[in-house]
Structure formats: C-alpha cells, structure tokens
C-alpha cells in the first residue's frame, strides 16, 4: 500500500497577513466591549464638586501646569541609558558561542565604556537625589547650650 | 478606629480592609469623631467627590448628634450635612461596635438598596441612601432635653453666660483657698522687681500656687524682658499666655478688698502707669513663666480696660508667643500691637465674635442651626492666603496636605510651597479639631468636667484627668490619700505606654515600615484589657475624681499588671530589633527634622521632643507631683535633635514607664482610695448608707457639684506628649469661671516649620511621625 502523500494536498503553513488581521480584529472587539461595558455600567452623576481635583478636601490653589523641576527625571534618563545596555548584553549572551572570542572582546569593551561613564556620573553627583544646588540646611544653632544660660 | 484593622479585631474578616487615601476609590466614608464647623465644608466635599456607590457610617456619639459637645464650634450631627446610612454609638465606640456597624451596612445594602440592579439597568436599587438630610430645628430636634419636650417650658435659669443668677452655690460655705508660703528665692525676686519697677508691679498678698504679680499694662513688656534675661533665676520659657474676660465676675470689688485682678490707672497722657486700686478691669491677661534652674513658675496678671483693648506683643521676646497671642486675639478680641501676623488661628477665618468672651454663646443649640448651606458658604481659606510669595520668585507648587490626609494623623492642614520635592515654605492651619473645651469648662460643674479632660489628649486617657484634678486640688487644698496617688501614677504611666505604642507603630508606618503596627497594637490590646479591668473603660475611663479615684482597685489587678509588664518588657526587644538599627529607618530619620536645643527652649517645646534635644527636663523629676518623688526612674535623653533622637527617647521612656508601673504595683500602699474630706468629693457609697453628712455631700456633689473657693491655680503634669497644664479660675461657684488648658501639642507643632523648611516632602511625614502630636490637644 502506497502511503498517501500529504505534501501537496494541504497548503503549507505560511504565517502572513491573515493572522495579523485576525489578531487586530480580536483586539478591537475586546477593547470596544470593555469600553462599552465600563460606560454602560458605570453610573455617571457629574457635578462641579466631583470633577474638581482632589486635594485633601480643599479647593486647589493655582495651576498644576507649569515648569516643575523633577529630580526623578535625571535618574529616569540614566536608567533608560543603562537599560539599553542590558538589551545589547542579552542579545550577545544568546549568541555567545557563535560570536566567540571576538564577540567577547567587543562586548567587554562596550561594558567598560559604560562602567566608566557610570562612575563619571556617580562622581559628578548625578545619582544624588534632588538638585545639587541646595542641600539640607545646617543646624541653625549649636546643639549644646552653656549651662549658665539656664 | 485604628484598632479594628489590627490583629485582635481584624476588620478584613468582614470584607473591609483597605483604607483609601482619596474619596475617588472609596465606596464607604466612615466619619469618626466630632464634626466641627471648620471641617464641615470638607466633609461635604469629600462626600461629593466619592464615586457611586457611596455609603456613610457615622461613628461615635459626637458624629451622630454632637454628643457631649454642645458647643459653638461643633455641628450637632453629621446627618445635617450628608445622608447617613448607619450610626455607630459609643464615645468612642469599641472596635466591635464599628464591626457591627459595618455588618449592618452590608445587610442594609443586600436587603434594601441592591446597588447592582441600578448598575445593570434593571430598575429599582439605589447606589447609597436616598434619605434626605435633616435640618437642625426643623426635621430634627434642637431641644437639649431631647425630642418630644417642646410643650414643656424650660425650668430654672440657664447656667450659660454672661451671668448665672441665683446660684445655690452661694448658700454653701467653703473654706478659703489654699495659701502657700513663698520660697525665700521668690521673696527676694519680688523684692528686686518691686525695687526696679516701683508702683507698676504689685505682688498679690495670697496665692494658692506660685508667685503672682499684677503689672501695669505699659510696663509688662519690660518686666517680661527682665525676667527672661536678667532676673535670678531666669524665666526662660513662656509656659502659657491667655486671658480672662472679667465681665461676668459676681463680686467686682477693686483692691484692696478684692485680691483678684486690678486694672491700670490712666495717667495724664492717657497711658496707664500703675495698677489702679479703684477700677475693675474688663480683661486680664495672664502670663505663666517657667524657670529651668531651679525649677519654678511665676504668674503675671495684666488688667486691661475697654471693649477693644490693646497691648504690646511679646513675640520679639519669645517667638512662641506668636500663636498664643493669635489665640488670645481671636478668643477675646484683645489686640497685640506689633504682632507679625495677627489673624484668626483656630476658628474659621470668617467667624464672627470672640468665643471666649462671656457674651458669646457657648452652646451650638443657642446659635443659628448649621446647615448644608452654611457648609457650602464657609469654605476654608485658600492656600494662597498662607503663602508669602515674593516678586521674582520661581514658580512654586502650592499644595495642601490635609486636613483630610492619612499622613497628617488627624485634621490638620499643612500648606507647603514646593520647589520640586523640596519644601521652600510651610504654613500650618489648625483648628479643624477645636471643641471649645475651655468654654465648656465654664458651664460644667467641677465634677462634670472630668470626662472632657479625657478627650483632650485622647491617647492619654486618665493622665489628662490628673492634670486637671491637680489644679483643682491645689486651689481647694485637698489632700489625696497615698494609695490614690500611687494608682494615679500607675494608670498615668500605663497610658503613657499606650500612647507610645501607638506612636511606635504609626511613626514606623510613616516612614514605610508596616509591620511594627501589628506588633505594638497586639500589646496595646493587652494593655487595654488591664485598663478595662481596673477602670471599666478603654480610651476615656474618666476614672479619677476630685480627691482620689472613682473606686478601689478590683480583685486581680496585680496579676494583670504584672503579666503586662513582663510581656511588654520582652516584646520591646522585638520592636527594637525591627526598627532601631534598621538602615532604611535610620536613613529616613537621622539628620532629618533637626531642632536645636535653643530653638526648642525658646519655642516652649516640651516632653520627649525637648529631651531629644539633650535637655534633662521632666516635670516628674523636676517639679514632682502625685508622689513621683518616691519612684526610681531615669529621664531618657538623646542629643541628636533629629527624628531618630526623638525615636530613641520614646522607646526608652516605655522602659522607664514599665519600671514605674512595677514599683507602683509592688509598693501599692493600703488605705483609702478617696479623701475622707467629703466637701469636694463624691463620698464612698458605703458611708452614705451610714451617716447623713456623707449622704448630703453625695447628693450635692453629684447633682449641683461642689463649690470651689474663689481663686486660681495652675499646675502642669508630664503627659506622654509633654507638659499639660490646667489654669483653673474659680469665682466661688460650682463651675469654673475660666478653664484654661495649656497643651504640649500647641507649642510642639508651632515649631514644625523650623524643622521642615528646606527638607524634602517625604521628610515632612517623618517629622510629623516623630513630633507625635494629637489634634484635640492642639486645638482643644
């Protein structure tokens, strides 16, 4: 008995535009369903008081939209830079054997450069919290008082 | 409230666990405690800002109906502002009561409201109650006797101000007030002052407690300056500054017949030159000063005349006078010339009248009803009014922290100007917890007032009673039996530990450590069991009486106390293992919130906060009272002046308190628990069954109240937060003429901007935790 050849009966599995279309459609349906449900179920009774920003029960003063010095911004920027470094190192680690010694040398060079820049930032005070211009004020008075004034 | 979340009561079992920091994420608002007119607009706003569904639990008698605070600053019931679903009774309610209230609410939702029906658009069902709010005087009774009494006329005369006619206390004879022989040092100081200031200063002939002078208004500043900088000893601290409205005095005899207060004689140029013996003053300003070495106190009284009197500020001598003068201004209408910022401090900024004047109504039920419309009208002052922003400054974020904030430990408002996360300026807005206790003291009998003292520092329990009773006992010259003194010491120390355990948990929690709360509240429940065994109450036992205690110690008290001391002594080691060397805790507290010793003394900081600046000062040792001189204990101090130092001092204080409790329990003397002089006290019940004298005193002192001789006395005790003093002024009636409470929190908090300015906003919470304040103690 001849084995039935299946090679030409079914078309080969070729991931293409169809799958992407199905995925997009499903995502859209899900999002619309969620939005609709939230909108339909959530009871809306807006009034000016409710729409006001919450600030511990007090009516807020001034605007929140102005240039706001965020110490966190600097730290976040550093984090991003060093995070990208991790992406390179992981991809190198996956192809570790194939890249061999030349690859190792290249990534070592990359890491050393980054380490030097890290120490540079550290030394410059970039990792200190808050802006470097003002620090905690010193103690206003000496903490001991001569007993004669008592 | 706090206890329900902790291990013994564990609210999580009932399906409610997570406290939300903002109304947006909450579906039930538990309004716990008194509803004040100053906070009412904020409660309404929080309710409005909640998302549906929303339910309301009114927790505690004050919140339900005003409770025992029928006073000008308190709204007589939450249901006048927002609709209430469940009322939880008690003052304060036990944790079980709140849990019961929560289960009742759950049943109510299941059986009546069924909010899911309206969610699914099925018709019927509501999201929160639909009952209308009540209107004081229309849909709810304003009769202080309760509902259903409208047809019956009120009998007798009202004890309320300005005058109480025909008091039957006049028919009672009372011995003269206690008189003390002055120390040689005081006599020589009086001599020096009289030589230096001549006629403008005059020593009183008799005094019940301390050296007292009448001073002419225009010389008082000079006298104060001299006393602070040149006198021997130097009176370095302004302990208290307050006033008395003299308009309702019954016996306005000027000097020399009446040895109370005198006004100032008006000189040729309209300025007063010396105390006048012919005019009775309209107001009396009272300064209490304290010297550290040797420990002592002194009182200056300044008579002021006129409806709108004015005097000089002393803020340039003591910076701490700032708030005291503002308070005196807003309560009495006395103006202080040269004060940097003389405006209302405690009352709402748009309040009319001066509450502690005798002509101002005392009771809320005497005033117009407070409605929801009033709440919408009287909004708290905009934060911009507190911020002093100069031209050319960089833009700062003005942020309100509080009054409704989990981190502020009560109703307190910090207005911070932020440069990034750094606090460039900070102002405080207090008074959201002002209960008008001082006014209440003027129409409650000497005995009736005791429960009000419990609630001043509500973690301090009976330790508050002691401060008050001591002043009354000194004024009337009552001798307290030794056994009662020892029990008072033991219970006061138990409540000090109670306070410090709660502080330990919350302070650690403020800087991010959650675990200690569950440990310390476990031991606190054991402590509450001891308190309940002895007094029958938990937080506010009101168990001390004039001349002693309410009853003797019960059987089995010794074992319970011993067991507690033994347990806690071991457990403190656990707490310390968690926190003391914890690197995160150290990083958050060391060098944070630094307050120098000099500043602390200038600003009148007391208690552990002062001792953390390195000064060995504790009233229990320096000016002993209630037999504290018989106990062996140390005054823990630290020298760091920062949040960590304050932590170290309090932890050590728990240990020292345990030592005192142990000694008190072991050496407990026998004998009476209440004085046998029944003139001022409620006699022992068994005596009333034997002799008619005791029966008469029992009847009089529980109904009308004892008559306390005309005079005044001020004493302070070391409660857990610092020095709490009561200045009682009697006009020879069954109630005080003026009841002044000097609280540690008022002075301790006033100094906070010094610590927080320039620090990070996260440091502010560490500072709040380490200062350990409590709101009714600040606002009274």
């Amino acid at each position: 008995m001849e084995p039935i050849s299946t090679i030409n009966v079914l078309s080969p599995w070729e991931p293409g535009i169809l799958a992407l279309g199905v995925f997009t459609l499903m995502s859209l349906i899900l999002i619309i369903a969620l939005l609709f449900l939230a909108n339909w179920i959530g009871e809306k009774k807006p009034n000016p008081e409710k729409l006001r920003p919450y600030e511990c029960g007090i009516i807020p003063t001034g605007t929140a939209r102005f240039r706001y010095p965020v110490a966190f911004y600097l730290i976040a920027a550093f984090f991003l830079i060093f995070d990208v470094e991790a992406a390179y190192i992981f991809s190198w680690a996956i192809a570790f054997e194939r890249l061999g010694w030349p690859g190792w040398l290249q990534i070592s060079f990359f890491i050393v450069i980054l380490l030097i820049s890290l120490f540079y930032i550290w030394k410059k005070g970039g990792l200190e919290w808050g802006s470097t211009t003002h620090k905690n004020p010193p103690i206003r008075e000496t903490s001991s008082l001569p007993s004669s004034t008592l | 409230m706090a206890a329900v979340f902790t291990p013994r009561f564990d609210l999580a079992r009932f399906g409610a666990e997570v406290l939300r920091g903002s109304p947006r994420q909450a579906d039930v608002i538990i309004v716990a405690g008194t509803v004040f007119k100053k906070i009412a607009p904020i409660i309404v706003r929080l309710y409005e800002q909640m998302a549906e569904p929303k339910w309301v639990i009114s927790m505690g008698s004050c919140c339900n109906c005003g409770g025992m605070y029928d006073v000008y600053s308190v709204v007589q019931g939450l249901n006048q502002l927002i609709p209430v679903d469940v009322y939880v009774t008690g003052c304060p309610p036990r944790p079980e009561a709140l849990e019961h209230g929560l289960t009742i609410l759950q049943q109510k939702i299941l059986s009546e409201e069924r909010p899911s029906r309206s969610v699914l658009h099925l018709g019927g069902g509501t999201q929160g109650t639909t009952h209308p709010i009540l209107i004081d005087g229309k849909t709810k009774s304003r009769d202080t006797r309760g509902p259903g009494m409208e047809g019956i006329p009120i009998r007798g005369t009202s004890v309320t101000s300005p005058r109480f006619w025909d008091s039957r206390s006049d028919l009672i004879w009372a011995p003269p007030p206690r008189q003390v022989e002055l120390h040689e040092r005081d006599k020589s100081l009086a001599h020096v002052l009289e030589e230096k200031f001549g006629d403008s200063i005059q020593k009183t002939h008799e005094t019940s407690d301390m050296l007292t002078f009448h001073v002419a208004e225009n010389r008082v500043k000079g006298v104060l300056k001299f006393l602070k900088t040149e006198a021997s000893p130097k009176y370095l601290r302004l302990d208290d500054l307050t006033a008395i409205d003299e308009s309702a005095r019954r016996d306005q005899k000027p000097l020399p017949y009446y040895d109370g207060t005198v006004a100032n004689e008006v000189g040729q140029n309209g300025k007063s030159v010396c105390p006048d013996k012919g005019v009775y003053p309209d107001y009396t300003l009272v300064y209490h000063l304290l010297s550290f070495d040797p420990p002592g106190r002194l009182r200056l009284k300044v008579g002021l005349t006129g409806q709108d009197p004015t005097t000089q500020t002393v803020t340039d001598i003591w910076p701490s006078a700032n708030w005291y003068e503002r308070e005196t201004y807003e309560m009495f209408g006395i103006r202080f010339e040269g004060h940097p910022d003389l405006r209302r401090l405690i009352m709402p900024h748009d309040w009319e009248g001066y509450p502690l004047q005798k002509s101002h109504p005392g009771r809320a039920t005497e005033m117009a009803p407070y409605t929801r419309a009033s709440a919408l009208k009287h909004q708290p002052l905009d934060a911009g009014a507190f911020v002093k922003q100069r031209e050319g400054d960089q833009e700062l974020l003005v942020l309100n922290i509080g009054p409704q904030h989990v981190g502020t430990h009560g109703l307190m408002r910090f207005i911070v100007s932020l440069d990034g996360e750094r606090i460039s300026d900070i102002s405080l807005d207090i008074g959201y917890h002002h209960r008008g206790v001082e006014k209440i003291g003027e129409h409650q009998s000497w005995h009736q007032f005791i429960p009000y003292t419990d609630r001043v520092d509500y973690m301090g329990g009976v330790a508050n009673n002691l401060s008050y009773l001591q002043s009354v006992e000194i004024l009337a010259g009552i001798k307290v039996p030794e056994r009662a003194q020892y029990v008072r010491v033991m219970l006061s120390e138990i409540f000090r530990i109670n306070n410090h355990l709660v502080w330990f948990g919350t302070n650690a929690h403020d800087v991010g450590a959650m675990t200690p709360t569950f440990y310390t509240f476990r031991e606190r429940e054991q402590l509450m069991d001891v308190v309940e065994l002895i007094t029958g109450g938990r937080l506010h036992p009101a168990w001390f009486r004039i001349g002693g205690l309410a009853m003797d110690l019960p059987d089995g008290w010794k074992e319970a106390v011993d067991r507690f001391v033994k347990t806690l002594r071991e457990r403190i080691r656990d707490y310390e293992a968690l926190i003391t060397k914890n690197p995160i805790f150290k990083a958050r507290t060391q060098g944070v919130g630094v307050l120098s010793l000099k500043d602390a003394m200038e600003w009148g900081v007391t208690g552990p906060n002062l001792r953390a600046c390195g000064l060995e000062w504790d009233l229990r040792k320096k000016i002993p009272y209630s037999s504290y001189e018989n106990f062996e204990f140390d005054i823990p101090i630290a020298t760091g002046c920062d949040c960590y130092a304050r932590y170290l001092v309090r932890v050590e204080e728990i240990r020292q308190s345990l030592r005192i409790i142990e000694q008190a329990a072991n050496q407990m003397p026998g004998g009476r628990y209440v004085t046998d002089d029944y003139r001022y006290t409620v006699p022992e019940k068994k005596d009333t069954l034997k002799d008619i004298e005791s029966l008469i005193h029992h009847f009089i002192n529980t109904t009308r109240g004892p008559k306390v001789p005309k005079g005044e006395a001020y004493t302070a005790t070391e409660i857990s937060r610092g020095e709490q003093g009561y200045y009682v002024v009697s006009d020879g009636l069954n109630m005080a003429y003026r009841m002044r409470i000097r609280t540690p929190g008022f002075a301790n908090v006033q100094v906070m901007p010094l610590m927080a300015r320039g620090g990070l906003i996260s440091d502010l919470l560490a500072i709040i935790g380490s200062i350990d304040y409590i709101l009714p103690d600040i606002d009274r």
Side-chain angles (χ1 to χ4, degrees):
Chain A
M1 207 159 59
E2 281 281 302
I4 300 165
S5 168
T6 56
I7 291 166
N8 296 319
V9 173
L10 296 172
S11 63
W13 172 245
E14 286 172 22
I17 197 74
L18 176 72
L20 186 63
V22 171
F23 175 73
T24 312
L25 195 70
M26 281 173 67
S27 311
L28 276 176
I29 289 171
L30 185 69
I31 290 167
I32 289 168
L34 287 178
L35 282 176
F36 169 74
L37 275 176
N39 202 38
W40 185 63
I41 288 177
E43 200 167 342
K44 287 183 190 57
K45 288 181 185 165
N47 67 41
E49 206 59 80
K50 200 182 214 172
L51 298 175
R52 205 197 289 279
Y54 166 74
E55 195 172 307
C56 301
I58 303 275
I59 300 171
T61 303
T63 172
R65 307 260 180 275
F66 60 88
R67 292 199 308 139
Y68 185 71
V70 190
F72 187 72
Y73 176 79
L74 206 57
I75 303 276
F78 293 146
F79 172 75
L80 269 182
I81 292 166
F82 290 101
D83 207 29
V84 173
E85 169 194 352
Y88 283 109
I89 294 171
F90 279 130
S91 50
W92 164 75
I94 288 168
F96 172 70
E97 297 209 331
R98 253 185 290 165
L99 290 174
W101 282 109
W104 184 84
L105 277 174
Q106 282 161 5
I107 200 73
S108 303
F109 180 70
F110 178 65
I111 291 173
V112 167
I113 296 284
L114 280 166
L115 270 181
I116 291 169
S117 54
L118 178 64
F119 284 121
Y120 176 74
I121 292 167
W122 195 347
K123 193 164 177 294
K124 276 285 193 184
L127 300 181
E128 298 284 316
W129 187 254
S131 68
T132 45
T133 46
H134 34 199
K135 293 273 173 205
N136 274 323
I139 301 177
R140 280 168 203 84
E141 299 284 340
T142 48
S143 52
S144 63
L145 204 67
S147 55
S148 60
T149 57
L150 287 178
Chain B
M1 175 87 187
V4 292
F5 298 100
T6 52
R8 185 186 287 187
F9 299 103
D10 193 14
L11 194 66
R13 291 175 296 153
F14 300 91
E17 180 170 36
V18 189
L19 283 170
R20 290 298 185 186
S22 107
R24 308 289 192 200
Q25 306 134 334
D27 55 6
V28 58
I29 176 171
I30 302 178
V31 184
T34 322
V35 181
F36 304 92
K37 289 182 181 171
K38 196 170 178 179
I39 199 74
I42 290 146
I43 294 178
V44 172
R45 175 163 302 116
L46 289 176
Y47 179 73
E48 290 296 334
Q49 292 191 337
M50 281 170 77
E52 273 77 18
K54 43 188 173 190
W55 290 284
V56 181
I57 294 181
S58 163
M59 180 180 165
S61 302
C62 283
C63 194
N64 297 343
C65 62
M68 59 199 271
Y69 291 99
D70 180 8
V71 70
Y72 57 86
S73 63
V74 173
V75 180
Q76 301 297 298
L78 178 67
N79 49 21
Q80 292 169 216
L81 302 172
I82 55 177
V84 176
D85 288 276
V86 174
Y87 297 91
V88 178
T89 56
C91 186
R94 294 182 58 93
E96 296 92 330
L98 180 59
E99 289 176 342
H100 186 212
L102 190 76
T103 48
I104 287 178
L105 179 64
Q106 286 165 345
Q107 284 162 13
K108 179 171 183 266
I109 294 168
L110 270 180
S111 61
E112 293 172 26
E113 293 175 351
R114 293 184 292 172
S116 55
R117 289 193 67 84
S118 72
V119 166
L120 298 171
H121 298 258
L122 289 175
T126 55
Q127 300 207 354
T129 183
T130 51
H131 288 292
I133 55 166
L134 304 180
I135 297 165
D136 195 2
K138 285 186 187 149
T139 48
K140 65 186 272 193
S141 169
R142 274 174 70 78
D143 197 322
T144 47
R145 297 167 297 173
M149 305 284 280
E150 294 81 12
I152 305 165
I154 292 171
R155 290 195 306 153
T157 52
S158 173
V159 297
T160 46
S161 53
R163 204 149 290 190
F164 175 36
W165 301 105
D166 298 333
S167 169
R168 296 186 69 183
S169 299
D170 285 333
L171 304 175
I172 307 178
W173 178 85
R178 172 178 181 248
Q179 288 173 25
V180 284
E181 186 64 28
L182 289 176
H183 196 272
E184 273 311 309
R185 198 172 55 235
D186 288 341
K187 281 183 187 158
S188 67
L189 178 67
H191 193 65
V192 169
L193 281 172
E194 271 161 10
E195 247 176 29
K196 192 167 164 62
F197 293 94
D199 268 355
S200 54
I201 190 163
Q202 198 172 44
K203 186 164 79 72
T204 54
H205 299 306
E206 290 153 4
T207 173
S208 304
D209 49 356
M210 65 181 88
L211 184 60
T212 306
F213 294 100
H214 296 297
V215 190
E217 188 272 314
N218 63 335
R219 297 303 298 274
V220 66
K221 204 164 169 178
V223 174
L224 287 169
K225 196 159 219 159
F226 175 79
L227 285 168
K228 189 187 175 194
T229 53
E230 291 170 46
S232 166
K234 289 190 178 71
Y235 286 84
L236 283 182
R237 187 206 287 165
L238 177 67
D239 228 10
D240 192 29
L241 190 173
T242 190
I244 306 169
D245 178 2
E246 301 284 359
S247 61
R249 286 276 195 187
R250 293 166 332 127
D251 197 12
Q252 304 200 352
K253 278 187 201 149
L255 272 183
Y257 311 101
Y258 176 72
D259 197 24
T261 320
V262 283
N264 305 302
E265 200 170 278
V266 179
Q268 285 168 342
N269 52 0
K271 285 273 180 186
S272 52
V273 284
C274 62
D276 184 7
K277 297 174 182 69
V279 182
Y280 200 81
D282 294 314
Y283 297 94
T284 305
L285 266 182
V286 185
Y287 297 86
H288 283 106
L289 309 184
L290 179 124
S291 73
F292 288 96
D293 190 24
R297 289 203 187 88
L298 179 147
R299 178 187 299 127
L300 296 184
K301 297 174 79 178
V302 185
L304 300 173
T305 46
Q307 262 319 295
D308 200 12
T310 310
T311 185
Q312 292 287 316
T313 179
V314 294
T315 43
D316 44 350
I317 305 177
W318 280 285
S320 61
N322 191 320
W323 275 16
Y324 287 105
E325 288 183 354
R326 278 175 71 181
E327 190 195 5
T328 310
Y329 159 67
E330 75 166 342
M331 291 296 171
F332 294 93
I334 298 170
R335 300 195 151 270
F336 292 87
E337 268 173 27
H339 190 284
D341 189 20
L342 195 66
R343 57 190 169 87
R344 287 199 181 272
L345 173 71
I346 290 174
M347 301 305 296
H349 65 100
D350 49 1
W351 189 265
E352 283 169 19
Y354 302 104
L356 285 179
Q357 283 184 353
K358 291 285 177 187
S359 55
H360 190 281
R363 293 176 180 274
T365 45
E366 291 168 2
M367 302 167 76
Y370 192 92
T371 59
R372 193 183 164 96
S374 329
L376 296 175
K377 197 172 131 209
H378 298 285
Q379 289 298 331
L381 206 54
D382 186 81
F386 294 90
V387 180
K388 294 173 215 81
Q389 203 154 4
R390 286 172 299 273
E391 200 68 23
D393 274 4
Q394 63 192 61
E395 258 184 316
L396 298 173
L397 177 70
V398 179
L399 185 70
N400 293 292
I401 304 178
Q404 202 279 323
H405 191 280
V406 283
T408 54
H409 296 211
L411 303 173
M412 174 125 144
R413 180 179 172 204
F414 297 89
I415 299 112
V416 290
S417 309
L418 291 175
D419 168 22
E421 283 172 73
R422 210 161 276 283
I423 296 171
S424 78
D425 200 6
I426 178 168
S427 313
L428 274 62
D429 185 18
I430 63 168
Y432 293 96
H433 214 300
H434 174 62
R435 277 170 172 164
V437 189
E438 297 183 2
K439 190 82 171 180
I440 289 173
E442 294 173 13
H443 64 73
Q444 298 289 332
S445 82
W446 297 99
H447 259 300
Q448 278 176 325
F449 190 65
I450 297 174
Y452 289 93
T453 63
D454 275 84
R455 287 152 178 84
V456 170
D457 174 351
Y458 60 75
M459 287 292 163
V462 291
N464 294 285
N465 301 165
L466 181 57
S467 318
Y468 162 63
L469 292 175
Q470 201 169 278
S471 292
V472 178
E473 282 156 5
I474 281 185
L475 174 58
I478 302 165
K479 291 203 170 44
V480 182
E482 205 178 19
R483 182 175 175 83
Q485 291 191 11
Y486 269 61
V487 176
R488 284 176 172 193
V489 165
M490 186 172 81
L491 281 172
S492 297
E493 293 303 323
I494 285 180
F495 269 101
R496 187 186 311 278
I497 293 177
N498 170 41
N499 178 71
H500 283 7
L501 286 179
V502 174
W503 157 82
F504 194 101
T506 50
N507 185 30
H509 195 264
D510 281 340
V511 294
M514 190 136 178
T515 317
T517 313
F518 298 104
Y519 280 66
T520 56
F521 271 72
R522 180 186 56 191
E523 272 68 73
R524 179 176 178 254
E525 282 309 321
Q526 198 184 343
L527 178 147
M528 280 293 147
D529 288 344
V530 177
V531 172
E532 206 172 336
L533 172 76
I534 295 176
T535 69
R538 264 168 72 91
L539 287 179
H540 308 323
W543 200 61
F544 296 168
R545 294 288 181 271
I546 298 176
L549 311 167
M551 55 177 71
D552 208 349
L553 291 169
D555 293 339
W557 69 272
K558 179 87 167 50
E559 294 72 32
V561 169
D562 286 347
R563 207 161 42 235
F564 169 70
V565 170
K566 187 165 171 287
T567 317
L568 186 61
R569 201 162 263 162
E570 287 161 11
R571 296 280 167 81
I572 296 178
R573 271 181 239 135
D574 294 353
Y575 307 162
E576 285 223 84
L578 281 167
I579 294 295
T580 305
K581 286 181 184 162
N582 184 324
I584 301 173
F585 185 79
K586 280 179 157 177
R588 289 292 308 274
T589 53
Q590 282 182 337
V592 170
V594 174
L595 177 73
S596 72
L597 177 60
K598 183 156 186 293
D599 279 340
M601 289 166 78
E602 287 283 311
W603 287 82
V605 172
T606 54
N609 297 329
L610 178 62
R611 293 190 278 276
C613 297
L615 185 69
E616 201 181 3
W617 177 264
D618 188 324
L619 285 185
R620 293 175 292 173
K621 281 265 193 217
K622 302 291 179 180
I623 310 179
Y625 53 90
S626 195
S627 298
Y628 265 112
E629 63 275 10
N630 299 347
F631 294 93
E632 269 178 41
F633 62 99
D634 304 322
I635 310 177
I637 58 166
T639 50
C641 311
D642 56 5
C643 294
Y644 190 67
R646 295 191 269 275
Y647 163 83
L648 291 178
V649 168
R650 287 207 180 81
V651 171
E652 188 52 34
E653 277 192 10
I654 300 179
R655 291 215 173 83
Q656 298 302 328
S657 290
L658 285 176
R659 273 177 75 187
I660 299 173
I661 294 169
E662 202 169 39
Q663 290 171 49
N666 288 337
Q667 300 160 19
M668 183 61 69
R672 298 182 61 86
Y673 65 83
V674 72
T675 175
D676 55 1
D677 178 8
Y678 283 159
R679 185 178 302 284
Y680 300 108
T681 193
V682 178
E684 280 188 61
K685 186 70 188 167
K686 64 174 172 26
D687 288 348
T688 66
L689 303 175
K690 276 189 231 145
D691 63 287
I692 188 70
E693 283 293 318
S694 305
L695 187 61
I696 291 171
H697 278 120
H698 193 279
F699 175 70
I700 293 290
N701 290 347
T702 47
T703 54
R704 188 186 310 155
K707 169 180 173 152
V708 168
K710 182 183 282 185
E712 59 190 359
Y714 174 88
T715 48
T717 61
E718 187 80 33
I719 63 164
S720 44
R721 285 162 221 281
E723 291 167 31
Q724 185 189 52
Y726 274 78
Y727 175 48
V728 295
V729 181
S730 171
D731 204 23
L733 283 182
N734 56 340
M735 61 197 92
Y737 182 78
R738 170 91 173 97
M739 178 74 69
R740 165 69 184 171
I741 312 174
R742 187 264 181 221
T743 54
F746 193 73
N748 290 356
V749 160
Q750 192 184 181
V751 80
M752 275 181 74
L754 283 191
M755 305 181 199
R757 217 169 270 147
L760 293 176
I761 193 162
S762 57
D763 294 343
L764 176 64
L765 294 180
I767 293 170
I768 289 173
S770 76
I771 289 281
D772 191 29
Y773 60 76
I774 196 162
L775 264 299
D777 175 69
I778 300 168
D779 299 338
R780 285 150 285 138

